[in-house]
Amino acid sequence: DSGVTQTPKHLITATGQRVTLRCSPRSGDLSVYWYQQSLDQGLQFLIHYYNGEERAKGNILERFSAQQFPDLHSELNLSSLELGDSALYFCASSVATGGRTEAFFGQGTRLTVV
Amino acid sequence: GQNIDQPTEMTATEGAIVQINCTYQTSGFNGLFWYQQHAGEAPTFLSYNVLDGLEEKGRFSSFLSRSKGYSYLLLKELQMKDSASYLCAVRDHGGSYIPTFGRGTSLIVHP
């Protein structure tokens, strides 16, 4: 158990809908990262928050947004869902961003858009 | 950004040694990570290299050559449970030090 909690574990929804994925980082970790993993793309970085502030954006679509709350948990919002958004969405946390600070991953949310 | 290359798939025999290579191109290297990921599960951290040389941790070792943009993960005394995907991730100085992951190497260990 990495200490990173993601909910829900599985989500099935229809095209055009909106969903929210939730992540609670490890106790004491200020950094939260969101990644998308699909079969043909590998782990793609979406967005990074540090202590409530957005620090970096990767290949995140405009239909997607995220935030980190004062208690450091984070939510990833996916809207106007398309079939191609079906993927595993991972949240990871780390205590900082540099040095020998590895990221610890949650178990992921498997999103299926039908 | 980074360009990371790993073999797609490798097979090996239980008890043997396997070396998984990773080559990368980056403008400002700031560390390389190896993660293990079993199918449908979360990636778990294996090793971190930022200086040239070999880091050993039990059955797993990781090597880095910054001048060659090259790393490898060495797995000894292979066990069936080592069948998994092995992800190489490179972090650079740009942006906010976000690791970029390669597509991973799927290792199949057979008896």
Side-chain angles (χ1 to χ4, degrees), chain A residues 32-36 41 43-49 54-66 76, chain B residues 1-2 94-101:
Chain A
V32 170
Y33 312 81
W34 286 97
Y35 286 86
Q36 180 193 56
Q41 290 292 325
L43 265 173
Q44 297 289 311
F45 167 67
L46 295 177
I47 198 163
H48 170 226
Y49 280 85
E54 181 187 304
R55 285 294 183 91
K57 272 187 174 180
N59 300 320
I60 188 166
L61 300 171
E62 285 193 11
R63 301 183 285 109
F64 295 2
S65 65
L76 179 67
Chain B
Q2 300 94 356
S96 66
Y97 297 82
I98 305 300
T100 298
F101 284 80

Side-chain angles (χ1 to χ4, degrees), chain A residues 4-114:
Chain A
V4 180
T5 304
Q6 287 187 249
T7 55
K9 285 188 170 46
H10 302 276
L11 199 48
I12 301 175
T13 190
T15 54
Q17 294 299 304
R18 172 189 167 94
V19 297
T20 297
L21 312 183
R22 196 178 192 278
C23 169
S24 294
R26 291 188 323 155
S27 177
D29 284 359
L30 300 178
S31 268
V32 170
Y33 312 81
W34 286 97
Y35 286 86
Q36 180 193 56
Q37 188 175 42
S38 52
L39 280 173
D40 58 344
Q41 290 292 325
L43 265 173
Q44 297 289 311
F45 167 67
L46 295 177
I47 198 163
H48 170 226
Y49 280 85
Y50 181 82
N51 202 21
E53 292 186 7
E54 181 187 304
R55 285 294 183 91
K57 272 187 174 180
N59 300 320
I60 188 166
L61 300 171
E62 285 193 11
R63 301 183 285 109
F64 295 2
S65 65
Q67 54 184 339
Q68 187 180 28
F69 295 87
D71 66 353
L72 300 178
H73 91 271
S74 178
E75 292 181 356
L76 179 67
N77 301 295
L78 315 175
S79 62
S80 303
L81 284 168
E82 301 175 0
L83 295 177
D85 297 327
S86 295
L88 258 174
Y89 290 84
F90 285 106
C91 165
S93 75
S94 65
V95 67
T97 55
R100 200 184 185 93
T101 51
E102 69 268 28
F104 294 85
F105 283 78
Q107 289 299 309
T109 294
R110 182 173 293 281
L111 174 66
T112 303
V113 182
V114 297

Side-chain angles (χ1 to χ4, degrees), chain B residues 32-70:
Chain B
L32 186 144
F33 300 84
W34 283 97
Y35 281 81
Q36 179 192 60
Q37 185 179 25
H38 287 96
E41 297 184 8
T44 55
F45 170 77
L46 291 177
S47 69
Y48 170 75
N49 294 73
V50 68
L51 300 176
D52 291 351
L54 189 68
E55 293 272 345
E56 296 187 78
K57 192 188 287 188
R59 294 190 298 115
F60 294 2
S61 303
S62 57
F63 172 83
L64 175 68
S65 168
R66 289 172 295 170
S67 62
K68 295 181 180 176
Y70 169 68

